[in-house]
């Protein structure tokens, strides 16, 4: 197949589509070369692309009938052509086109490449309309060699589903029953207006006008509208900053501020809506029971009748809701018509005053009444703020449309238009009713037709000018007028019962909106699994994914509060729950704008971050104005839920503005730090730890983490030595897994791998490149090379040179030695291992062991390594096989720094002044709870005849450094000769590595030294004899004084570069540190890291 040109078969019966070779652009193409190119193109299309172009069977037959030359490439037309002709392009190629146009140039751009043109489907997070989600070709698919894995099946770039395919997909969708979606009028505008026009409109508005007067009533309405308008603008901004799914206020807040705020507000918002159902239903039931009481038709008593009517009502509303959103929407429209009829009925009635209504205070529009009611007349200890607190709940309900965002056709367009227009219409309605009621109804009226004016001297109010004297009402007891009659709007209206119907409509529509909102918000919250125990309510049913379980829960909550039937205490808390939601929506916009994230680009532009902040503050102020204790309860509940979600740390990533702001602040602070010189008081050990895979050397990581956690930077450097071309894809996958492993183990560190040909070059890369500004390592931490004498001495040369490089770059160096060793990567089952679905990197010395009990391809575990290349995805012994005694000790030793150390000592052998790093690290360790019971003992060198003096000097220095210590030991016998058997042991240790130049010719010795620079010369041994004896003697003293220490921190001996061979230096380190408790050799960069100046 690969050696043949793709054949093009004709035939009228053939309805299949064929793949066509890509057009070759060479100017001089022979038939042979065309064949070769054709085969290469076919191979590429097999390996990389899916479909290149389509051939129409009829056109294909015509083309083959006229006999195409070998270099002709057929270009399919977008429409069928009646006639096919040939023309030359002047490049040696002939293209087929119809008789009217050259269709080669009519093809869609990108038809002949697997590179993808921009497509909205690539940016969706859910499945595409026609089946599986479309994805753009990955960078690897476009960039890697052709012998990589082929594309998955799918549509090729440049192709679109045919009309038949679209029709089939549409029919399939319709066959299943399409979901019901609402536009901005039915879905948002109507819902918001019904929810805002509550029962307050008919039974409290007149009383507010009586108390506050027309002027202050308008001020109250405008204040409330200001809060809701700002919130509406903020809601619009968030809703237009990307696709909005179901969940309303919860979805908007959680995706903007993150799961902590979203989860806390979502739960109380859903609960508030559920209890609001009870509030509205009880309001309806009270009106019904009052009507029954007027005609002496009570079933039992008033309280139980409210419960009975309320229960029957909420069951009816539940039935409408469960029937589906379409039925609920129809019910809302009916209720809106009734409500609008009641409002119109009131305004018509206000222009039709009758004489029998005048004794009850309604005179029609009169300037005298307007002027009298323009100013406030607060009674019964009411104030401006108490009246505002009573009115404000009437302005809420602006999120009724946003709460069903998942059922809107286009939430981004519908929510801003519907919400803001609803606020405008309802605000104007409230103002109009306030002015109307204040202009035609007096504050007090007796209802007695005989109370006409008899004394024109003492009667001075507006009613007097209209022929009535209601001055007796000043003593109290009147039942009519703005102040006394809550049903005064029924009196004014043209048809009283229609106002009662309006009250029913307002209460039932608000109850219905809340009954729908609560389950939708709760379902969205449960789907995100922020509260694991509530996930049972996430399930949806039917074509609209109706939250039936949520409906039942909302019904139960609502019914419980209906049966209580006393909502005066719970009502302020519910209002504050809504206000808290508004405050957080406003704060979300401010926060997102402040974070300055490129992802914050709402298409709704009429917002301002400072206005949103003011809105958030206003909402908080209003909360305390309405009810201060309810505000405190609300804030405490939100705080408790916030702390809970923060502690649980749900595994979600929504790209919240909190993340964006943290990044922004981190970047700003990093840049600010670069302009400040380092100061000794602010020195922190910032460690680059050459640990390999993080789980390979846990003891090294745990010890360094103990003195860097919340203090300094810790970077886990991993040098991946490669023998062939590096697999960068593998290192990216390892990077993500290992960083997750560190996070899971709560080790505050960064994982940074590099590819290199050996440890030294990799360490050089890390030493030079790791870090950002001042957040840059200053100390290299390594494990001691325990097996150095068994391996290749070139590895020792590399290891020692890496230490020299660190000193050259002005790094401090620390080397940890445990007698059992550090590396546990060869022990399987020691930690979560890699999934069996992941392949080991080819051509590397460190090959991933892929064993997993969970079979999770995206495991949080970090790979371990083996020492050879294997192709099998499963390597090594069965994890259940017993470990050897050596491995058991190694595992136990690897965990020793993870547990609390108990009482003991940290012995600090501060023999040489390196700037203080050798002393600072033990001090930082003792500040940790794990090391808190340990005491610092300091060992220093001194003269035998002035031990007391040296001890006092060191004690003075430590006290000035404010470092606590338990004891200071001055060693006056460091320079005494070591024991003979120890010297003999050292001599045996270095014997294999000596050059022995005296036993060979000078030229041969020089050649061997050049080939093996680690060799120890006789001259070198003689020159550093005293230093060698010191290391042997120090080991003897360490065994004598510090054999029971929890940790020994000791000044690391230095070796002059170019003078001391690697083998001799390694022998020094080996001799100094063998057969001891955990030993940390430390050498700072000889810049002060401690100071006693303030």
């Amino acid at each position: 197949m690969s050696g043949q040109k793709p054949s093009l078969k004709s035939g009228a019966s053939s309805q299949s589509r064929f793949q066509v070779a890509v057009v070759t652009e060479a100017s001089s193409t022979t038939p042979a070369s065309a064949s070769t190119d054709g085969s290469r193109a076919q191979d590429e299309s097999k390996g990389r692309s899916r479909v290149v172009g389509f051939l129409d069977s009829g056109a294909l037959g015509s083309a083959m009938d006229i006999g195409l030359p070998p270099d002709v490439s057929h270009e399919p037309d977008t429409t069928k052509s009646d006639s096919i002709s040939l023309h030359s392009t002047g490049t040696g190629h002939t293209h087929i086109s119809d008789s009217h146009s050259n269709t080669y140039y009519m093809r869609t751009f990108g038809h002949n490449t697997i590179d993808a043109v921009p497509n909205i489907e690539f940016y969706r997070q859910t499945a595409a309309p026609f089946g599986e989600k479309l994805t753009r070709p990955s960078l690897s698919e476009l960039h890697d060699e052709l012998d990589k894995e082929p594309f998955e099946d799918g549509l090729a770039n440049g192709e679109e589903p045919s009309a038949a395919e679209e029709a089939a997909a549409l029919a399939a969708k319709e066959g299943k029953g399409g979901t019901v979606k609402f536009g901005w009028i039915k879905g948002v505008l109507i819902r918001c207006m019904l929810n805002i026009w509550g029962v307050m409109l008919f039974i409290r508005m007149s009383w507010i006008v009586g108390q506050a007067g027309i002027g202050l009533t308008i001020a109250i309405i405008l204040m409330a509208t200001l809060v809701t308008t700002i919130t509406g603008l903020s809601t619009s901004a968030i809703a237009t900053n990307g696709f909005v799914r179901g969940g309303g206020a919860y979805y908007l807040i959680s995706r903007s501020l993150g799961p902590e705020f979203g989860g806390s507000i979502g739960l109380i918002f859903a609960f508030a809506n559920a209890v609001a159902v009870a509030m509205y239903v009880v309001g309806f039931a009270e009106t019904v029971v009052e009507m029954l009481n007027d005609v002496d038709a009570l079933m039992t008593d008033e309280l139980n009748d409210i419960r009975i009517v309320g229960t029957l009502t909420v069951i009816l509303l539940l039935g409408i809701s469960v029937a589906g959103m379409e039925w609920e929407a129809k019910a809302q429209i009916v209720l809106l018509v009734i409500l609008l009829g009641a409002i119109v009925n009131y305004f018509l009635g206000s222009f039709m005053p009758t004489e029998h209504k005048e004794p009850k205070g309604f005179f029609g529009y009169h300037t005298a009444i307007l002027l009298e009611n323009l100013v406030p007349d607060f009674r019964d200890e009411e104030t401006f703020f108490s009246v505002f607190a009573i009115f404000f709940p009437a302005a809420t309900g602006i999120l009724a449309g946003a709460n069903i965002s998942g059922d809107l056709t286009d939430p981004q367009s519908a929510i801003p238009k519907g919400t803001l227009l609803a606020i405008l219409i309802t605000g104007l309605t409230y103002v109009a009713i306030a002015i109307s009621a204040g202009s035609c109804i007096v504050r007090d009226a007796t209802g007695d037709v005989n109370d006409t004016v008899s004394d024109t001297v003492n009667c001075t109010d507006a009613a007097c000018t209209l022929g009535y004297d209601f001055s007796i009402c000043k003593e109290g007891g009147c039942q009519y007028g703005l102040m006394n009659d809550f049903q005064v709007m029924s009196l004014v209206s043209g048809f009283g019962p229609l106002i009662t119907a309006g009250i029913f409509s307002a209460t039932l529509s608000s109850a219905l909106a809340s009954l729908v909102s609560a389950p939708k918000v709760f379902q969205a919250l449960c789907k995100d699994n922020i509260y694991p125990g509530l996930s049972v309510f996430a399930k949806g049913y039917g074509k609209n994914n109706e939250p039936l379980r949520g409906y039942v829960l909302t019904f139960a909550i609502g019914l419980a509060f209906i049966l209580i039937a006393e909502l005066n205490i719970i009502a302020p808390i519910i209002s504050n729950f809504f206000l808290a939601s508004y405050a957080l929506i406003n704060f979300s916009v401010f926060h997102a704008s402040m974070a300055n994230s490129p992802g914050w680009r709402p298409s709704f532009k009429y917002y301002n971050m400072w206005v949103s902040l003011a809105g958030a503050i206003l909402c908080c102020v209003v909360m305390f104005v309405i009810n201060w204790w309810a505000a405190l309860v609300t804030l405490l509940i939100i705080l408790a839920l916030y702390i809970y979600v923060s502690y649980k740390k749900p595994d979600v990533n929504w790209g919240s503005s909190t993340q964006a702001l943290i990044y922004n602040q981190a970047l700003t602070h990093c840049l600010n730090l670069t302009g400040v010189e380092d100061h000794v008081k602010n020195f922190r050990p910032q460690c680059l730890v050459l640990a390999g895979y993080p789980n390979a050397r846990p003891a090294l990581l745990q010890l360094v983490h103990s003195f860097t956690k919340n203090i300094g930077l810790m970077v886990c450097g991993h040098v991946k030595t490669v023998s062939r071309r590096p697999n960068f894809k593998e290192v990216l996958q390892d990077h993500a897994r290992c960083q997750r492993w560190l996070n899971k183990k709560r080790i505050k560190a960064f994982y940074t791998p590099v590819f290199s040909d050996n440890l030294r070059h990799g360490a050089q890369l890390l030493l030079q490149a790791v870090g950002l500004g001042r957040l840059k390592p200053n100390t290299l931490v390594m494990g001691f090379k325990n097996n150095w004498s068994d391996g290749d001495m070139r590895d020792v040369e590399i290891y020692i040179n890496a230490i020299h490089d660190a000193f050259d770059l002005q790094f401090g160096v620390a080397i940890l030695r445990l007698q059992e060793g550090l590396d546990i990567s060869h022990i399987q089952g020691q930690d979560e291992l890699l999934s069996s679905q992941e392949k080991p990197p080819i051509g590397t010395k460190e090959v991933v062991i892929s064993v997993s009990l969970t079979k999770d391809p995206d495991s949080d575990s970090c790979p371990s390594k083996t020492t050879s290349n294997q192709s099998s995805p499963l390597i090594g012994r069965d994890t259940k096989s017993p470990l050897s005694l050596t491995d058991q000790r190694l595992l136990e030793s690897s965990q020793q720094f993870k547990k609390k150390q108990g009482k003991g000592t940290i012995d600090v052998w501060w023999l040489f002044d390196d700037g203080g790093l050798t002393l600072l690290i033990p001090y930082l360790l003792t500040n940790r709870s794990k090391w808190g019971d340990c005491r610092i003992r300091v060992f220093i060198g001194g003269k035998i005849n002035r031990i007391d003096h040296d001890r006092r000097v060191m004690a003075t220095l430590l006290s000035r450094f404010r470092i606590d210590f338990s004891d200071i030991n001055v060693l006056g016998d460091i320079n005494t000769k070591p024991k003979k058997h120890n010297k003999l042991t050292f001599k045996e240790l270095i014997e294999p590595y000596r050059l022995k130049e005296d036993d060979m010719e000078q030229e041969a010795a020089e050649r061997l030294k050049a080939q093996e620079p680690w060799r120890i010369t006789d001259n070198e041994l003689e020159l550093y004899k005293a230093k060698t004896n010191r290391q042997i003697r120090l080991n003897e003293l360490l065994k004598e004084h510090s054999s029971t220490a929890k940790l020994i921190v000791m000044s690391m001996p230095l070796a002059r570069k170019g003078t001391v061979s690697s083998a001799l230096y390694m022998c020094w380190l080996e001799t100094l540190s063998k057969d001891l408790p955990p030993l940390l050799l430390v050498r700072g960069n000889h810049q002060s890291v401690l100071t006693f100046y303030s």
Side-chain angles (χ1 to χ4, degrees):
M1 186 71 182
S2 62
Q4 299 175 359
K5 186 173 181 177
S7 60
L8 305 179
K9 297 181 180 179
S10 62
S13 62
S14 173
Q15 297 296 323
S16 62
R17 298 177 175 186
F18 298 92
Q19 207 163 17
V20 181
V22 179
V23 177
T24 309
E25 298 295 344
S27 58
S28 57
T29 308
T30 64
S33 65
S35 176
T36 305
D37 289 345
S39 65
R40 187 183 301 122
Q42 173 129 352
D43 285 344
E44 176 168 349
S45 67
K46 281 175 62 183
R48 305 305 305 147
S49 65
R50 290 162 280 193
V51 180
V52 176
F54 298 137
L55 282 179
D56 180 78
S57 59
L60 180 61
S62 302
M64 294 307 296
D65 289 342
I66 60 178
L68 295 177
D71 58 348
V72 170
S73 172
H74 178 273
E75 294 296 332
D77 196 357
T78 53
T79 58
K80 291 185 178 180
S81 300
D82 293 327
S83 60
I84 304 291
S85 64
L86 298 176
H87 72 276
S88 174
T89 62
T91 61
H93 280 77
T94 306
H95 296 283
I96 300 174
S97 67
D98 61 16
S99 58
H100 304 291
S101 64
N102 179 358
T103 58
Y104 177 74
Y105 297 102
M106 294 176 61
R107 289 302 303 272
T108 305
F109 170 71
H111 75 279
N112 57 353
T113 173
I114 61 172
D115 216 345
V117 296
N119 188 338
I120 190 175
E121 298 299 334
F122 298 151
Y123 296 89
R124 294 191 190 279
Q125 295 179 349
T126 54
F130 303 109
E132 294 184 1
K133 180 181 181 296
L134 297 182
T135 56
R136 71 178 66 82
S138 70
L139 187 60
S140 297
E141 289 172 330
L142 295 173
H143 181 256
D144 285 358
E145 295 175 352
L146 288 177
D147 58 357
K148 301 293 181 184
E149 63 274 4
F151 276 125
E152 296 176 0
D153 293 335
L155 290 172
N157 177 56
E159 295 179 37
E160 296 177 357
S162 65
E165 288 171 332
E166 289 189 16
L170 194 60
K173 187 176 180 182
E174 289 177 352
K176 292 180 182 177
T179 57
V180 178
K181 297 289 185 180
F182 304 111
W184 71 275
I185 295 178
K186 188 188 286 190
V188 183
L189 179 65
I190 290 176
R191 289 175 187 280
C192 287
M193 287 198 303
L194 283 171
N195 229 18
I196 297 171
W197 278 333
V199 69
M200 195 74 67
L201 180 68
F202 297 105
I203 62 176
R204 284 291 184 274
M205 201 65 224
S206 56
W207 176 84
I208 291 171
V209 173
Q211 289 280 357
I214 296 173
L216 290 183
T217 299
I218 293 175
I220 288 171
I221 295 170
L222 291 179
M223 281 178 61
T225 306
L226 177 66
V227 173
T228 56
T229 301
I230 293 174
T231 307
L233 293 173
S234 298
T235 305
S236 302
I238 299 177
T240 58
N241 189 51
F243 184 75
V244 178
R245 293 193 177 91
Y250 159 72
Y251 186 88
L252 298 178
I253 294 171
S254 64
R255 267 46 175 191
S256 182
L257 287 178
E260 294 84 5
F261 279 114
S264 55
I265 209 68
L267 199 60
I268 68 166
F269 190 74
F271 178 76
N273 273 291
V275 179
V277 173
M279 289 176 58
Y280 296 128
V281 168
V282 166
F284 167 78
E286 285 178 350
T287 308
V288 172
V289 170
E290 281 181 18
M291 293 173 62
L292 293 175
N293 193 25
D294 289 344
V295 294
D296 293 328
L298 288 178
M299 291 174 275
T300 54
D301 56 72
E302 283 192 15
L303 187 61
N304 285 321
D305 277 14
I306 289 173
R307 290 169 176 159
I308 293 169
V309 174
T311 301
L312 294 174
T313 304
V314 79
I315 291 173
L316 174 65
L317 295 178
L318 178 67
I320 295 173
S321 301
V322 171
M325 291 296 293
E326 187 63 29
W327 282 95
E328 189 265 348
K330 290 175 181 175
Q332 293 280 30
I333 291 174
V334 172
L335 294 173
L336 177 68
V337 170
I338 296 171
L339 192 55
L340 288 173
I343 294 172
V344 171
N345 176 45
Y346 163 77
F347 280 110
L348 290 176
S350 67
F351 289 99
M352 298 185 298
T354 55
E355 287 188 6
H356 75 274
K357 294 181 180 179
E358 289 181 352
K360 296 182 178 181
F362 172 52
F363 294 94
Y365 292 99
H366 287 280
T367 306
I369 298 176
L370 172 66
L371 294 175
E372 183 178 83
N373 290 336
L374 196 61
V375 294
D377 182 17
F378 292 112
R379 303 178 189 174
D380 301 326
E381 299 183 355
E382 297 290 350
T383 63
F384 174 81
F385 288 110
S386 67
V387 173
F388 175 79
I390 291 171
F391 171 78
F392 187 81
T396 60
I398 60 170
L399 296 180
N403 286 340
I404 62 159
S405 52
D407 296 294
L408 300 175
T409 305
D410 182 9
Q412 287 185 278
S413 171
I415 291 174
K417 285 194 292 188
T419 304
L420 293 174
L421 188 57
I423 292 171
L424 177 64
I425 292 172
T426 53
L428 291 175
T429 306
Y430 279 127
V431 170
I433 288 177
I435 295 173
S436 172
S439 302
C440 61
I441 309 168
V442 295
R443 280 192 167 98
D444 299 292
T446 59
D448 189 350
V449 295
N450 297 320
D451 285 338
T452 53
V453 175
S454 58
D455 184 359
T456 56
V457 178
N458 295 324
C459 187
T460 56
D461 54 24
C464 297
T465 61
L466 301 174
Y468 282 87
D469 182 7
F470 298 140
S471 56
I472 192 174
C473 291
K474 295 178 181 178
E475 300 172 6
C478 292
Q479 297 181 356
Y480 296 97
L482 292 174
M483 288 289 209
N484 310 303
D485 185 9
F486 289 154
Q487 304 290 340
V488 71
M489 288 186 71
S490 298
L491 173 72
V492 174
S493 64
F495 182 62
L498 193 54
I499 295 294
T500 303
I503 294 172
F504 290 170
S505 172
T507 52
L508 292 179
S509 64
S510 297
L512 194 55
S514 296
L515 186 58
V516 170
S517 296
K520 295 282 185 183
V521 173
F522 197 58
Q523 183 186 35
L525 177 69
C526 295
K527 275 184 178 178
D528 289 333
N529 202 28
I530 291 178
Y531 302 101
L534 302 178
S535 56
V536 66
F537 294 101
K539 184 175 175 57
Y541 297 86
K543 61 185 180 182
N544 265 28
N545 196 34
E546 294 288 351
L548 296 185
R549 296 176 181 178
Y551 281 128
V552 173
L553 179 64
T554 304
F555 168 77
I557 294 172
L559 185 61
F561 282 96
I562 287 169
L563 295 178
I564 295 172
E566 290 289 339
L567 298 176
N568 290 338
I569 294 177
I570 202 73
I573 298 179
I574 300 307
S575 295
N576 277 323
F577 279 1
F578 286 123
L579 274 167
S581 304
Y582 297 168
L584 279 179
I585 287 175
N586 285 313
F587 183 71
S588 297
V589 172
F590 168 76
H591 200 268
S593 301
M594 179 66 76
N596 202 25
S597 171
W600 173 251
R601 45 182 191 277
S603 55
F604 182 84
K605 301 298 182 185
Y606 304 102
Y607 74 95
N608 180 275
M609 60 183 289
W610 300 109
V611 171
S612 295
L613 179 62
I617 295 170
L618 268 175
C619 289
C620 294
V621 170
V622 171
M623 285 172 66
F624 282 92
V625 165
I626 290 177
N627 191 305
W628 66 267
W629 63 262
L632 286 177
V633 170
T634 303
L635 293 177
L636 286 174
I637 292 173
I638 292 175
L639 181 62
L641 292 173
Y642 180 91
I643 293 171
Y644 172 79
V645 177
S646 299
Y647 176 76
K648 283 293 184 181
K649 287 186 173 60
D651 187 19
V652 294
N653 183 9
W654 295 323
S656 67
S657 60
T658 305
Q659 296 172 354
L661 190 61
I662 290 172
Y663 173 85
N664 212 17
Q665 290 173 339
L667 181 61
T668 302
H669 293 323
C670 275
L671 291 171
N672 289 342
L673 279 173
T674 59
V676 181
E677 288 296 326
D678 285 332
H679 193 280
V680 62
K681 287 196 296 185
N682 292 326
F683 175 86
R684 298 162 183 266
Q686 305 196 112
C687 298
L688 171 61
V689 187
L690 296 186
Y693 285 113
N695 61 346
R697 295 170 178 82
L700 184 62
L701 248 64
Q702 291 290 350
L703 180 65
V704 177
H705 186 243
S706 294
F707 63 80
T708 59
K709 180 184 177 184
N710 298 330
I711 292 174
L713 175 69
M714 177 178 170
V715 178
C716 296
H718 184 184
V719 179
K720 288 173 169 276
T721 52
V722 292
S723 56
R724 290 171 51 186
R725 188 173 57 183
N727 187 337
F728 290 108
K729 188 182 296 184
E730 184 74 27
V731 82
L732 289 174
Q733 292 172 353
D734 282 355
H735 184 279
R737 275 192 299 272
C738 291
Q739 189 61 57
R740 281 201 303 270
W741 185 90
L742 289 168
N743 295 341
K744 185 178 178 182
K745 299 296 182 183
R746 297 187 177 180
I747 296 175
K748 297 186 177 181
F750 300 96
Y751 174 73
T752 305
V754 292
F755 278 120
S756 183
D757 55 351
N758 61 49
L759 175 70
R760 181 186 184 184
H761 293 158
Q764 287 175 343
L765 294 174
L766 291 169
L767 289 167
Q768 294 176 85
V770 167
L772 190 67
R774 296 286 181 210
L775 296 179
K776 185 177 177 64
N778 52 32
T779 306
L780 176 68
V781 184
M782 306 168 69
F784 183 80
K785 194 172 182 63
N786 268 27
N787 62 345
W788 68 273
S789 58
D790 300 330
D792 191 339
M793 286 304 293
R794 284 175 293 187
D795 292 336
V796 174
E797 180 79 7
I798 289 170
Y799 178 81
I800 297 300
N801 282 331
I803 297 174
H804 288 313
D805 293 337
F807 287 133
D808 287 342
L809 290 166
Q810 295 298 298
F811 273 67
V813 175
I815 297 176
L816 175 66
R817 180 171 189 181
L818 304 182
Q819 294 309 309
E820 298 81 2
L822 292 168
D823 189 356
I824 62 172
S825 60
H826 62 284
I827 304 175
Q828 297 198 29
Q830 48 83 17
D831 198 359
E832 305 95 347
L833 297 176
L834 207 58
S835 165
S836 60
Q837 298 181 28
E838 290 166 329
K839 300 175 184 177
I842 304 302
T844 66
K845 291 183 180 176
E846 297 180 336
V847 179
V848 174
I849 296 177
S850 25
V851 180
S852 177
L853 301 178
T854 61
K855 302 294 182 186
D856 180 7
D858 195 27
S859 169
D860 284 346
S861 64
C862 200
S864 299
K865 65 172 186 174
T866 59
T867 55
S868 61
N869 293 336
Q870 284 113 343
S871 58
S872 170
L874 191 62
I875 302 169
R877 303 185 305 269
D878 182 1
T879 57
K880 294 182 181 178
S881 62
L883 295 174
S884 66
L885 188 60
T886 304
D887 283 348
Q888 286 181 6
R889 288 175 178 169
L890 177 58
L891 269 181
E892 290 172 6
S893 172
S894 70
Q895 300 299 316
Q896 63 180 307
F897 297 132
K898 195 174 182 180
K899 56 191 178 185
K900 189 173 178 63
Q901 297 302 306
K903 290 187 177 181
T905 63
I906 299 177
D907 288 357
V908 182
W909 290 64
W910 195 19
L911 304 178
F912 305 102
D913 195 332
D914 59 351
L917 185 62
T918 309
L919 191 60
L920 179 62
I921 289 175
Y923 166 75
L924 295 175
L925 282 174
T926 55
N927 286 340
R928 298 295 178 194
S929 58
K930 289 178 184 176
W931 295 86
D933 293 336
C934 293
R935 295 292 173 259
I936 293 176
R937 290 197 304 175
V938 180
F939 293 81
I940 60 172
K943 288 185 179 181
I944 194 72
N945 57 350
R946 47 183 298 177
I947 288 178
D948 291 338
H949 175 267
D950 292 341
R951 184 184 288 115
R952 285 195 299 271
V953 170
M954 179 54 64
T956 303
L957 180 61
L958 293 177
S959 63
R960 287 194 176 185
F961 284 151
R962 302 171 303 284
I963 292 177
D964 292 332
F965 58 92
S966 63
D967 192 14
I968 295 175
N969 292 280
V970 181
L971 303 171
D973 53 351
I974 289 180
N975 292 323
T976 58
K977 290 184 179 181
K979 296 174 182 176
K980 283 187 179 181
H981 71 273
N982 289 330
K983 291 174 70 175
L984 286 172
T985 304
F986 183 81
K987 188 175 181 180
E988 291 171 2
L989 178 65
I990 65 170
E991 188 64 28
Y993 315 115
R994 291 182 60 183
L995 182 61
K996 298 179 181 176
E997 64 268 32
D998 292 342
D999 298 340
M1000 63 181 76
E1001 294 181 2
Q1002 183 177 354
E1003 186 178 344
E1006 290 176 353
R1007 191 185 314 115
L1008 182 59
K1009 180 66 174 176
Q1011 291 173 352
E1012 299 178 351
W1014 43 266
R1015 290 282 180 184
I1016 306 171
T1017 65
D1018 293 340
N1019 183 47
E1020 181 184 355
L1021 272 179
E1022 185 61 33
L1023 184 62
Y1024 290 103
K1025 184 177 180 181
K1027 195 164 188 175
T1028 299
N1029 288 337
R1030 188 191 306 147
Q1031 311 314 317
I1032 302 171
R1033 177 60 182 154
L1034 282 172
N1035 180 257
E1036 294 173 357
L1037 291 171
L1038 283 164
K1039 289 177 181 176
E1040 179 184 343
H1041 295 283
S1042 299
S1043 58
T1044 59
K1046 296 288 185 182
L1047 177 68
I1048 303 171
V1049 182
M1050 186 175 194
S1051 296
M1052 185 170 75
L1054 279 181
R1056 189 171 296 279
K1057 188 171 58 172
T1059 306
V1060 178
S1061 62
S1062 301
L1064 180 58
Y1065 189 30
M1066 198 72 214
C1067 289
W1068 285 352
L1069 297 180
E1070 169 70 28
T1071 302
L1072 176 65
S1073 59
K1074 69 178 181 180
D1075 302 329
L1076 290 171
L1079 174 69
L1080 186 67
L1081 295 171
V1082 179
R1083 175 67 71 154
N1085 65 357
H1086 288 243
Q1087 300 292 320
S1088 294
V1089 301
L1090 296 172
T1091 182
F1092 43 77
Y1093 294 108
S1094 59

